Amino acid sequence: MKQIFAILMIVCLAFSTPIYAANEAFDDCLLTHLKGAKQDNAAHLIRLACTGLYNRSGVLLENRRLFLNCLLEHLVGVESAQAVEDIHLACGRKYD
């Protein structure tokens, strides 16, 4: 019985570590990119990009990863709602 419990604990730890690492990476993404957000719509897209990069299970297609990174790279500090939309569209045309 003790051996079964020990095996279950090892399996649980093995599966929880990647989840924790993904959550930590997601939080780091938010902390890095949201602090410079000046528009609510930019903050929303930054949050979606961090979620897409770090809180989704499965394989992320290369173009999708590039699109999300494009958003993160160009949205921080944008002060115009129109510019936020234009950046979103340009990243989409470039990588989607």
Side-chain angles (χ1 to χ4, degrees), residues 26 29-30 32-52 71-72 75-77:
F26 171 72
C29 181
L30 291 178
T32 299
H33 295 95
L34 283 178
K35 67 182 174 188
K38 296 185 181 199
Q39 291 279 324
D40 286 343
N41 52 351
H44 174 73
L45 289 172
I46 290 168
R47 201 168 16 271
L48 289 177
C50 289
T51 299
L71 294 178
L72 293 176
L75 286 174
V76 176

Side-chain angles (χ1 to χ4, degrees), residues 70-86:
C70 180
L71 294 178
L72 293 176
E73 180 179 343
H74 297 289
L75 286 174
V76 176
V78 174
E79 296 184 17
S80 161
Q82 183 60 54
V84 169
E85 183 61 24
D86 290 343

Side-chain angles (χ1 to χ4, degrees), residues 2-94:
K2 288 181 181 180
Q3 289 176 334
I4 292 173
F5 181 74
I7 291 171
L8 286 174
M9 289 299 294
I10 291 170
V11 169
C12 288
L13 286 174
F15 285 109
S16 67
T17 301
I19 292 169
Y20 175 76
N23 287 338
E24 187 174 359
F26 171 72
D27 289 339
D28 288 343
C29 181
L30 291 178
L31 292 170
T32 299
H33 295 95
L34 283 178
K35 67 182 174 188
K38 296 185 181 199
Q39 291 279 324
D40 286 343
N41 52 351
H44 174 73
L45 289 172
I46 290 168
R47 201 168 16 271
L48 289 177
C50 289
T51 299
L53 288 169
Y54 300 107
N55 275 357
R56 302 283 179 182
S57 60
V59 176
L60 188 62
L61 297 175
E62 181 66 11
N63 277 358
R64 183 67 178 167
R65 186 186 63 73
L66 291 170
F67 166 71
L68 296 173
N69 279 317
C70 180
L71 294 178
L72 293 176
E73 180 179 343
H74 297 289
L75 286 174
V76 176
V78 174
E79 296 184 17
S80 161
Q82 183 60 54
V84 169
E85 183 61 24
D86 290 343
I87 290 167
H88 182 228
L89 292 173
C91 288
R93 284 191 303 269
K94 190 169 181 173

